[in-house]
Amino acid sequence: MVCLVDSVISPTFKSMHNNGSINIFKAIEYNATIEFFWSPLLVESNSDDPISHRVPDRIVRVQAIEKHARHWTDADYLVFNTYLWWRRRQMKVLWGSFESPEDGVFKAVKLPRVYEMALQTWAQWLEVHVDRNKTQLFFISMSPTHQKANKWGGIKGENCYSETEPVTEEEYVGDGASPRMMRVVDSVLGELKTRGLNVQMINITQLSDYRKEGHPSIYRKHWETITEEQLLNPKNYSDCIHWCLPGVPDVWNELLYAYILEL
């Protein structure tokens, strides 16, 4: 979104800076900001550090959100999304604090139940803290991955590496997204609506599912040096989760823009 806006604003009338978990782009002439807040699981977790978040054992505090949410008040538009970081069979839940974990209680909770618990905490915060006369709310559906080429008729064991064309089969449904988790989101948003709070779902999942060629593949950011063995088998280090920019996320932003104008 910042890339789209940045291109039409003079350098003297814009700024970009980082403050911990928040990246802030300011369009000075319009007295407007676009802010990105890093909280990949919405609720508190041990992956909340914007730089050092690659942990082997992910832990969430499903009832704790205020540390993040205090930065979300007073916005004109709030756009939420959380999915990729939940992609595992179960998640360790902490009832207690990260400062004194020895005093807390840990329990492994399976998906999608732990996802539902986190979204319910998020929904409760929205219901209490959002100014319904000011703030418009959006939830972006899950971003699909393309890690199994046989799902679109490719060779088993391959992924998005070397793909140059989108899926053309109209009825195609991959396995890079979770219908069970999408139903959880629908249920939570439906409950909010019955209580007078409307969160507009923007479903980008199916349209993105066709775009198997839209990922960075081997042109990803490398956190570690690529070994000679990996270079001989590039599919093993291809990124088939994130997206190229410019690319598919531009369409998501066009959809969001259309909804904002409509509402």
Side-chain angles (χ1 to χ4, degrees), residues 41 43-47 55-63 85-86 88-96 98 101 104-111 114-115 117-118:
L41 295 114
V43 293
E44 288 185 35
S45 75
N46 63 342
S47 297
V55 295
D57 192 15
R58 198 160 293 158
I59 303 170
V60 291
R61 297 180 64 211
V62 290
Q63 295 179 325
W85 287 67
W86 294 95
R88 48 192 62 205
R89 294 182 182 276
Q90 63 183 23
M91 193 87 71
K92 187 179 288 186
V93 177
L94 167 63
W95 283 271
F98 286 115
V105 175
F106 290 88
K107 184 176 181 179
V109 182
K110 292 183 178 181
L111 269 293
V114 64
Y115 184 63
M117 293 165 71

Side-chain angles (χ1 to χ4, degrees), residues 32 51 54 58 61 66 79 83 97 103 106 134 143 191 215-216:
I51 297 174
R54 293 161 62 90
R58 198 160 293 158
R61 297 180 64 211
E66 184 60 34
V79 184
Y83 165 60
S97 71
D103 297 326
F106 290 88
K134 175 184 179 182
S143 170
E191 290 174 10
H215 300 282

Side-chain angles (χ1 to χ4, degrees), residues 20-56:
S21 294
I22 310 176
N23 287 292
I24 302 173
F25 174 85
K26 182 171 287 187
I28 299 168
E29 192 175 8
Y30 297 93
N31 190 30
T33 60
I34 299 172
E35 302 182 10
F36 172 76
F37 188 86
W38 174 263
S39 53
L41 295 114
L42 290 185
V43 293
E44 288 185 35
S45 75
N46 63 342
S47 297
D48 286 343
D49 189 293
I51 297 174
S52 178
H53 47 248
R54 293 161 62 90
V55 295

Side-chain angles (χ1 to χ4, degrees), residues 123-248:
Q124 289 164 8
W125 183 89
L126 290 178
E127 191 176 5
V128 172
H129 294 280
V130 164
D131 183 344
R132 303 175 192 214
N133 297 316
K134 175 184 179 182
T135 304
Q136 292 182 27
L137 300 167
F138 298 91
F139 193 99
I140 310 297
S141 70
M142 54 191 62
S143 170
T145 63
H146 293 92
Q147 296 171 305
K148 297 180 180 179
N150 60 300
K151 295 297 180 180
W152 58 80
I155 300 172
K156 188 173 183 180
E158 300 291 321
N159 55 21
C160 73
Y161 173 67
S162 78
E163 293 289 344
T164 59
E165 298 289 336
V167 176
T168 55
E169 181 188 344
E170 191 171 336
E171 303 301 319
Y172 169 75
V173 177
D175 70 344
S178 169
R180 287 196 311 161
M181 292 175 72
M182 289 188 76
R183 286 193 289 271
V184 169
V185 175
D186 282 337
S187 175
V188 172
L189 298 192
E191 290 174 10
L192 277 173
K193 194 166 187 177
T194 63
R195 299 200 292 269
L197 190 63
N198 184 49
V199 181
Q200 176 64 58
M201 165 76 86
I202 300 182
N203 192 336
I204 56 89
T205 304
Q206 185 59 43
L207 66 88
S208 305
D209 214 2
Y210 295 118
R211 297 297 305 275
K212 59 183 171 61
E213 88 300 353
H215 300 282
S217 184
I218 60 173
Y219 305 102
R220 47 170 279 199
K221 179 174 181 177
H222 297 289
W223 298 94
E224 289 135 10
T225 303
I226 301 299
T227 65
E228 288 191 22
E229 183 180 356
Q230 287 175 310
L231 288 171
L232 293 173
N233 197 356
K235 72 178 182 185
N236 287 345
Y237 66 92
S238 290
D239 182 349
C240 299
I241 296 176
H242 300 92
W243 300 92
C244 294
L245 291 173
V248 174

Side-chain angles (χ1 to χ4, degrees), residues 1-17 24-34:
M1 181 182 287
V2 168
C3 290
L4 292 170
V5 174
D6 176 81
S7 63
V8 295
I9 299 178
S10 168
T12 56
F13 292 106
K14 62 189 176 186
S15 66
M16 183 82 174
H17 70 274
I24 302 173
F25 174 85
K26 182 171 287 187
I28 299 168
E29 192 175 8
Y30 297 93
N31 190 30
T33 60
I34 299 172

